[in-house]
Amino acid sequence: MARAQLKSLVMIVASGLALLATPALAEPKWALVIHGGAGVIERKDLTPETEAAYRAAMAKAAATGSAVLDKGGSAMDAIEAVIRDLEDDPLFNAGRGAVFTAEGRNELDAAVMDGKSLMAGSVAGVTRTRHPISLARAVMEKSRHVMMIGAGADAFAASVGLEQVDPSYFFTERRWQGLVKELANQGLPVPVRPAGAPPPQAFQPIPDDRKFGTVGVAALDSAGNVAAGTSTGGMTAKRWGRVGDAPIIGAGTYASNQSCAVSATGSGEYFIRLTVAREICALVQYKGMTLQRAADEVIQARLTALGGDGGVVALTPDGQMAWSFNTSGMYRARAAEGQPTVVSIYKDEQ
Ligand code: ASP
């Protein structure tokens, strides 16, 4: 054997041994990534108490989802459990604490998608169902349809036994005052305070109150399936039955075991036009991009170029987790089997 051949044989054997010696990075059995909305969120604008409250809410959401997945629960069960809690938390623009339309109503949008079956369910403009995320799941599991809107969607919710509330249940002073401010900016009249709302009270303002605060989850379960879910009140002072990206499958919410699961938050009109969630998964599926690269390509390059703002959380069936946003902050958390939970708000955090 020539000297050069011998040398390369030795090198091949050596590198093989080195590979064997390097412990493979184990794929986590389960994982989840959560957002609580993206926007202009800067340290100087959050009081220590408000910041602590958001971090605690995100940590609790991660713990709730982790507990479901760690017990072998499905990605869909984890998503529903996490989002139901966040819909009850007035810090977020989903369920109670949702933003108001220009007419002074709370009109809620939500969606879920299951990556194994490609089944999906979504609702828009719901006003009486306490947990729009559970309604989206019921549309997927208990109807022949994918999307329902308005009074019909609420009627379906009642027919399958989901809790109905008076629309004033969703009222919060902070979001009402956010509406009053936004309508003044736009030169629009302020509607009468909704029937059933409590008398005016003190409230703690938060940054970028005008629109953001949507909640969403992408999850991977120990059976290897991914799913995604998103719930929102939309954008403050939205008009004429406006629907955002959250309930549009492929725009704000998407999941497929062939590629990835994504939940988005931000200026919905742009996310719809770019079919953001599906686009990220398509880059993973057809271009073989890593999840982080695909998310950055769509958010940092394409969304930014179009003038949209916001972000996504995402994960793949092989346990890659990613987030990407082009705003100064996004309330977010991620957790996976055997890994420490990460909770972050600002851009300069991990
Ligand atoms: N994407 C939501 C919408 O446009 C709003 C948000 O995420 O803040 O309805």
Side-chain angles (χ1 to χ4, degrees):
M1 191 181 289
R3 209 187 161 89
Q5 276 175 318
L6 186 65
K7 200 172 158 199
S8 44
L9 185 68
V10 167
M11 278 175 70
I12 288 166
V13 171
S15 60
L17 286 176
L19 257 183
L20 281 178
T22 316
L25 252 189
E27 286 176 13
K29 271 211 203 65
W30 58 262
L32 86 162
V33 200
I34 304 169
H35 71 76
V40 183
I41 310 167
E42 277 158 23
R43 282 193 175 78
K44 64 175 173 37
D45 300 327
L46 282 182
T47 64
E49 297 74 39
T50 308
E51 180 176 325
Y54 274 106
R55 287 191 194 274
M58 284 286 110
K60 182 171 162 245
T64 301
S66 300
V68 173
L69 294 168
D70 202 39
K71 279 200 300 255
S74 70
M76 192 55 68
D77 283 346
I79 288 166
E80 188 180 5
V82 169
I83 295 185
R84 281 175 70 97
D85 278 357
L86 295 172
E87 285 175 339
D88 282 346
D89 187 336
L91 282 178
F92 299 97
N93 173 18
R96 192 156 169 269
V99 299
F100 286 90
T101 67
E103 294 77 29
R105 292 152 54 89
N106 300 110
E107 296 182 356
L108 312 171
D109 301 343
V112 293
M113 185 160 184
D114 174 45
K116 183 181 181 195
S117 59
L118 297 186
M119 294 285 280
S122 84
V123 292
V126 164
T127 61
R128 294 187 166 272
T129 302
R130 176 170 171 183
H131 290 295
I133 199 69
S134 298
L135 176 51
R137 184 173 183 176
V139 170
M140 176 177 81
E141 291 177 347
K142 298 183 177 159
S143 86
R144 292 187 294 123
H145 306 302
V146 168
M147 188 168 197
M148 295 185 191
I149 59 164
D154 280 322
F156 173 70
S159 80
V160 294
L162 291 177
E163 186 179 350
Q164 301 294 287
V165 291
D166 186 82
S168 62
Y169 164 82
F170 299 109
F171 182 96
T172 53
E173 191 66 38
R174 184 161 62 82
R175 296 299 191 183
W176 181 256
Q177 295 305 332
L179 173 69
V180 171
K181 207 164 98 195
E182 180 59 19
L183 290 174
N185 285 342
Q186 294 189 24
L188 291 170
V190 176
V192 291
R193 208 175 159 86
Q201 47 196 264
F203 67 98
Q204 174 71 52
I206 53 160
D208 215 359
D209 209 6
R210 197 164 56 85
K211 38 187 180 176
F212 299 115
T214 294
V215 301
V217 183
L220 162 68
D221 61 30
S222 44
N225 299 317
V226 296
T230 314
S231 181
T232 186
M235 314 260 281
T236 297
K238 64 185 182 179
R239 303 184 74 186
W240 302 298
R242 179 265 190 193
V243 175
D245 59 317
I248 309 289
I249 299 304
T253 308
Y254 188 78
S256 164
N257 281 3
Q258 306 301 313
S259 51
C260 68
V262 177
S263 171
T265 174
S267 44
E269 281 67 11
Y270 294 85
F271 285 71
I272 294 172
R273 290 157 65 202
L274 286 169
T275 57
V276 161
R278 173 61 196 150
E279 188 77 349
I280 291 170
C281 293
L283 291 175
V284 169
Q285 188 171 353
Y286 301 122
K287 282 214 163 176
M289 284 190 188
T290 64
L291 183 66
Q292 188 64 56
R293 207 173 141 223
D296 287 342
E297 164 68 28
V298 175
I299 298 300
Q300 310 300 336
R302 301 185 194 181
L303 179 72
T304 305
L306 206 62
D309 53 3
V312 291
V313 295
L315 53 67
T316 58
D318 66 3
Q320 296 173 59
M321 290 178 275
W323 46 52
S324 188
F325 52 100
N326 67 357
T327 51
S328 52
M330 180 166 82
Y331 303 110
R332 60 200 190 275
R334 64 167 190 261
E337 181 217 18
Q339 296 181 25
T341 298
V342 176
V343 173
S344 316
I345 299 177
Y346 308 110
K347 193 150 210 143
D348 57 13
E349 293 178 273
Q350 59 174 323

